[in-house]
Amino acid sequence: MTLSIKTDIFKEMVSRAIKGASQNKLIPLTGLMAIQLKDNKLTLITTDASNYLYIKQDNVVGDEFYVVTQVEQFSKLVGKMTCETITLEVNNGILNVKGNGDYKIELPLDEEGNPVVLPNPVDDVKEGKSAEVNLATIKTILNTIKPALAVTMEIPVYTRCYMGKRVVATDTYKVSSLDADVLKAEPLLLSAETMNLLDVMTCEKVNFLQLDDVVVFDTPDCVVYGHTMGGVEDYQIDAISELLEQDKEFQKYLPEDYRLMKVAEKVFDVNVEL
């Protein structure tokens, strides 16, 4: 099994893919990266054991190829490459990386002594509720809504982002809201980890798919697979929405320049216990 790819393209792919690997020492799966070439489409797969990140590149030359290697060791090696092309080859349980030099990486084995195969759950999601989301909207959520999430577990539900008729994040002292039904779905909660992976996306249009508790954000060069989080029924969205509407009313009486600044930030202290 052999594949070749331009070094600058591959380095960019690897640098994005490693963001999906949490590298939890207690969960070996999270320290691995799958490299798959099928029908001249190269896919890198990483996981934190719940979310999966797929980074893709079309028109890659090589044989049908599949290997799983250690994320940290492999990414550091690729990051040091300055050659024009990188070639990967697998022989007898060894990944041979040819670039500035010739490097050999021993491949991890499962309990039965066979090469590890990483789960590929996105292939099981063929249909479901769908919507199209603008990348600009996702970036707005990540930059102005997500920072309001709780970062401690006193009330776990508020460590998650509420996606319904509006997008909301709160730590019960500050609230951030975007008045848009982004996913066109029943209200759901997304973890901070799932949302962080959306920051890897670069295409302007993102296809959203939901099947039961599974969510998929899909573009030609990047796919994020995750799960909705429990507790949406405990999220005090009615009380929060009432508070947000009160703030809108209050802003009407502010000087215009200050009001515009507040609206743009969409973050304000509420100092109430939800």
Side-chain angles (χ1 to χ4, degrees):
M1 296 190 298
T2 304
L3 70 84
S4 295
I5 184 171
K6 289 186 177 298
T7 300
D8 56 348
I9 294 176
F10 195 54
K11 289 173 72 171
E12 193 267 343
M13 290 183 69
V14 171
S15 69
R16 295 170 71 196
I18 60 176
K19 296 177 181 178
S22 60
Q23 300 190 57
N24 185 334
K25 301 299 183 183
L26 299 178
I27 310 176
L29 195 70
T30 66
L32 302 177
M33 176 187 294
I35 306 169
Q36 175 181 279
L37 181 63
K38 186 175 182 180
D39 299 327
N40 297 116
K41 180 185 287 289
L42 179 63
T43 304
L44 307 183
I45 308 171
T46 51
T47 183
D48 62 8
S50 176
N51 301 286
Y52 285 77
L53 176 63
Y54 300 75
I55 302 297
K56 301 182 178 184
Q57 177 67 41
D58 287 329
N59 303 317
V60 176
V61 177
D63 308 321
E64 296 289 292
F65 187 99
Y66 185 89
V67 69
V68 173
T69 187
Q70 297 287 344
V71 166
E72 184 174 11
Q73 181 185 17
F74 184 73
S75 62
K76 286 181 178 179
L77 175 60
V78 171
K80 294 178 181 178
M81 295 288 186
T82 58
C83 52
E84 183 177 351
T85 302
I86 291 178
T87 298
L88 305 182
E89 186 175 5
V90 176
N91 285 307
N92 299 320
I94 300 295
L95 174 61
N96 194 16
V97 184
K98 297 179 180 180
N100 296 76
D102 194 344
Y103 305 89
K104 298 184 185 299
I105 300 176
E106 188 173 350
L107 299 177
L109 303 177
D110 62 21
E111 296 177 352
E112 297 179 355
N114 299 315
V116 172
V117 176
L118 211 61
N120 187 22
V122 77
D123 278 355
D124 296 329
V125 185
K126 304 299 183 183
E127 58 183 17
K129 300 176 183 178
S130 62
E132 185 177 79
V133 185
N134 292 326
L135 181 63
T137 301
I138 291 175
K139 296 297 185 180
T140 296
I141 293 170
L142 294 174
N143 293 331
T144 65
I145 308 300
K146 181 177 169 290
L149 287 176
V151 295
T152 58
M153 295 298 289
E154 283 87 351
I155 310 178
V157 71
Y158 295 125
T159 64
R160 303 156 188 170
C161 186
Y162 178 91
M163 311 284 286
K165 296 299 182 182
R166 66 194 337 152
V167 182
V168 176
T170 182
D171 60 4
T172 75
Y173 289 97
K174 62 178 178 288
V175 177
S176 183
S177 173
L178 177 66
D179 290 341
D181 188 359
V182 175
L183 301 182
K184 305 295 191 296
E186 293 297 317
L188 57 85
L189 300 181
L190 294 181
S191 69
E193 291 75 18
T194 300
M195 295 180 66
N196 287 340
L197 294 183
L198 300 182
D199 204 22
V200 179
M201 294 188 151
T202 59
C203 296
E204 293 184 3
K205 298 295 183 181
V206 180
N207 293 317
F208 168 76
L209 187 68
Q210 181 183 4
L211 181 62
D212 299 326
D213 70 334
V214 170
V215 291
V216 176
F217 295 84
D218 185 12
T219 70
D221 71 345
C222 179
V223 177
V224 173
Y225 170 101
H227 297 271
T228 61
M229 305 298 291
V232 68
E233 67 280 357
D234 298 322
Y235 204 96
Q236 299 298 307
I237 188 60
D238 291 340
I240 294 170
S241 294
E242 182 177 352
L243 191 63
L244 291 168
E245 294 304 321
Q246 291 175 4
D247 184 77
K248 282 183 182 179
E249 190 67 24
F250 172 71
Q251 289 185 43
K252 293 179 181 178
Y253 301 98
L254 296 176
E256 183 176 0
D257 55 349
Y258 181 74
R259 182 169 71 249
L260 292 175
M261 181 182 70
K262 292 284 283 187
V263 172
E265 290 179 352
K266 297 185 184 298
V267 180
F268 47 88
D269 291 331
V270 296
N271 293 313
V272 298
E273 182 175 350
L274 297 174

